[in-house]
Amino acid sequence: MVKSEIISDEDFERLIEGIKQTKRTDPRGGRNKLLLNKTYVIALYISRYTGLRVSEALGLKKEDFDLENCTLKVQRRLEHARKSKKDMYLTDQLKSKSSKAEVVISHKFAEILKE
């Protein structure tokens, strides 16, 4: 049995700062490096504040977020047959009927996403 642990707020923020400061090598240029780091940071925040499954978080689109009303809609998930990008696609078939939902998010998380 795997024992799960909860990461402290301080450790989480250190993790976020470490990712922001990580230098990546990307043959396409510097802008892509910054966007890749921001993508990781947003994914970690989504996981931390919503408890969504990874596939559900990766299936979110910008229009799923209503930051004024502090909600997000879970409507799809990322499905993949293999690790190749061409084998990945979005599907509206979620794990259960209750998975498709509107999730209330905290004001703090909404402010983080606005940034």
Side-chain angles (χ1 to χ4, degrees):
M1 176 185 276
V2 176
K3 180 181 175 186
S4 51
E5 295 182 28
I6 299 173
I7 187 171
S8 70
D9 290 338
E10 295 81 20
D11 286 344
F12 182 76
E13 289 305 322
R14 279 199 297 274
L15 176 64
I16 295 297
E17 287 307 312
I19 291 171
K20 287 180 180 177
Q21 295 172 12
T22 300
K23 294 190 181 347
R24 300 194 176 285
T25 55
D26 189 333
R28 296 170 290 180
R31 183 173 181 270
N32 291 325
K33 293 180 210 175
L34 181 60
L35 289 176
L36 185 60
N37 284 3
K38 284 184 178 181
T39 301
Y40 289 143
V41 167
I42 291 169
L44 283 170
Y45 274 115
I46 290 170
S47 176
R48 175 94 171 160
Y49 284 98
T50 66
L52 293 180
R53 294 176 181 91
V54 172
S55 62
E56 293 167 347
L58 293 174
L60 292 172
K61 294 183 177 183
K62 194 172 186 176
E63 61 265 19
D64 295 329
F65 292 87
D66 180 353
L67 300 180
E68 298 306 314
N69 295 309
C70 294
T71 62
L72 67 87
K73 290 181 183 173
V74 180
Q75 306 179 89
R76 70 193 76 73
R77 66 184 172 89
L78 183 69
E79 178 68 37
H80 58 89
R82 295 182 202 95
K83 291 185 180 181
S84 172
K85 272 189 174 182
K86 67 180 179 173
D87 296 321
M88 294 183 189
Y89 59 92
L90 292 176
T91 179
D92 61 355
Q93 291 182 319
L94 299 175
K95 187 171 181 178
S96 69
K97 288 180 183 179
S98 62
S99 294
K100 191 173 272 195
E102 187 169 273
V103 177
V104 177
I105 60 175
S106 70
H107 291 287
K108 179 179 180 177
F109 181 45
E111 290 302 317
I112 289 167
L113 290 172
K114 286 177 186 178
E115 288 177 22

